[in-house]
Amino acid sequence: MTAPRHVDAVVLRRRPSGLPRPDDLALSEVEVPTLGDDEVRVSVLDLSLDPYLRSTLAGRHLDDAPVAVGDVVPGRSVGRVVASRAADIPEGALVLAETGWRAEAVVAAKQTTLVRVPAGVPASAALGALGMPGLTAYAAIVRHLTPRPGETVVVGAATGGVGSVAGALARDRGARTVAIVGDDDKAADAIDRLGYAAAVVRGRDGWEDALAAACADGIDGYLHMGDMPTLHAVVRRLAPHARVSLCGLMDQYNDGPPTTLPVAAIIMARATVHGMVVYDHGDLVGAQLAEVAALLADGSLTLHEERHEGLASAPAAFARLMAGRNRGKVVVTVGR
């Protein structure tokens, strides 16, 4: 009998409390199941790290099953099919799949998507601009914020996987885009690499005055992916009939207090507030892929990634992401 195949994986060692620590997770080995009918074995190349995983690890992300201590951390990756028992997925195909944080996984063929990216664009774009973060940005722009030429759109976490795409989409529609970021390096990225008209570093002394100066005519659209003080500061500067998309609550992911809305300011602005759940917008995938791919191809959108090497780097990279220290969409290179 052939011995079971084991591969490296990252498992939950301890449920995080507050900001995740690298030692909440641990590198381990797990067995790769035997390949069954209509299944493929995928060798992971690039692994996506995403903020929603923090609430998944806590057992409170939508309908996601709780992650037990000792379980492999869930996650999406781009990988190469190294064995297949599915007629429509050949060996050698590049696929997007929910593999978890492991070097190799067996998944149902129907739960994979063939990866196609424009010439010159890395396959990892399927984890960011051409993947779920890009769809989040696209839905927020086309369904929630609906920017018009000359309007001001403010984007929180503006240099991340969602924010970098949202800024480009709003700018492509003629809006003036303003980035809210966490430090000066990200502010430079926002303006120099991603094309924002202005960038404001949240939380420092005088930052609300800087936001007001950057948005002198008020804020027509706001994509929120930050903490409550940032949300309140922006809402106080909404223009009449502004639109807000509540996409991410980073402080709550890390066990912060419940977020409240300054309702009086929303009423005064006659603003519309939307809740963003990306799974509601799957019908937009075709349009998202077409438009975002075109922006990547003509250079209107820069693929902004922060890369880490090897599965062993994933726990520290995730802690860095959840502390807001990342610069770009976080991707772990697992294989080549």
Side-chain angles (χ1 to χ4, degrees):
M1 178 181 290
T2 304
R5 180 179 176 85
H6 290 80
V7 297
D8 287 342
V10 176
V11 301
L12 180 63
R13 178 174 174 268
R14 176 181 58 229
R15 207 166 297 286
S17 177
L19 279 172
R21 295 170 32 168
D23 60 359
D24 291 332
L25 310 174
L27 191 66
S28 183
E29 282 195 342
V30 297
E31 185 176 328
V32 180
T34 302
L35 194 63
D37 289 341
D38 298 315
E39 291 183 333
V40 295
R41 191 166 77 239
V42 177
S43 177
V44 173
L45 301 176
D46 290 322
L47 173 67
S48 177
L49 304 193
D50 298 285
Y52 79 88
L53 289 171
R54 173 64 181 85
S55 53
T56 299
L57 295 178
R60 57 172 188 263
H61 182 71
L62 300 176
D63 295 326
D64 288 356
V67 180
V69 171
D71 283 356
V72 175
V73 177
R76 183 170 297 190
S77 70
V78 167
R80 184 77 63 185
V81 174
V82 294
S84 175
R85 293 186 63 181
D88 53 346
I89 306 291
E91 290 185 17
L94 202 60
V95 296
L96 179 70
E98 296 287 344
T99 60
W101 292 17
R102 65 185 100 203
E104 196 172 283
V106 169
V107 297
K110 65 181 180 182
Q111 295 175 347
T112 68
T113 303
L114 291 172
V115 171
R116 295 183 177 89
V117 296
V121 174
S124 57
L127 301 171
L130 296 175
M132 186 168 61
L135 178 60
T136 303
Y138 189 81
I141 292 298
V142 305
R143 285 191 166 152
H144 292 175
L145 304 188
T146 60
R148 294 179 282 271
E151 290 191 328
T152 296
V153 172
V154 174
V155 180
T159 62
V162 175
S164 57
V165 178
L169 290 168
R171 190 166 56 253
D172 193 55
R173 285 158 172 75
R176 178 176 176 274
T177 55
V178 176
I180 295 181
V181 295
D183 58 44
D184 289 324
D185 288 336
K186 291 183 180 182
D189 283 346
I191 294 172
D192 299 337
R193 297 188 61 184
L194 299 177
Y196 283 90
V200 178
V201 180
R202 58 177 167 77
R204 61 174 41 166
D205 289 346
W207 86 271
E208 292 191 43
D209 293 335
L211 178 65
C215 307
D217 296 324
I219 296 168
D220 300 290
Y222 173 49
L223 179 56
H224 178 69
M225 294 181 288
D227 57 14
M228 187 164 61
T230 302
L231 176 63
H232 285 207
V234 172
V235 168
R236 286 194 290 267
R237 287 163 180 80
L238 292 179
H241 309 291
R243 290 81 64 196
V244 176
S245 182
L246 300 176
C247 179
L249 303 171
M250 186 67 84
D251 47 353
Q252 284 196 36
Y253 295 159
N254 293 323
D255 300 328
T259 296
T260 63
L261 276 171
V263 177
I266 291 170
I267 293 173
M268 288 294 293
R270 295 78 147 176
T272 302
V273 179
H274 300 270
M276 166 54 67
V277 176
V278 68
Y279 306 116
D280 295 339
H281 304 284
D283 61 303
L284 292 177
V285 167
Q288 170 226 346
L289 293 177
E291 184 169 345
V292 174
L295 293 177
L296 286 169
D298 70 12
S300 300
L301 169 60
T302 298
L303 193 66
H304 194 31
E305 293 182 336
E306 176 179 289
R307 281 194 169 267
H308 299 263
E309 293 291 327
L311 265 180
S313 71
F318 184 62
R320 173 180 166 86
L321 167 66
M322 295 312 299
R325 298 199 304 272
N326 62 298
R327 291 178 67 181
K329 173 74 185 77
V330 181
V331 177
V332 175
T333 302
V334 177
R336 298 189 183 279

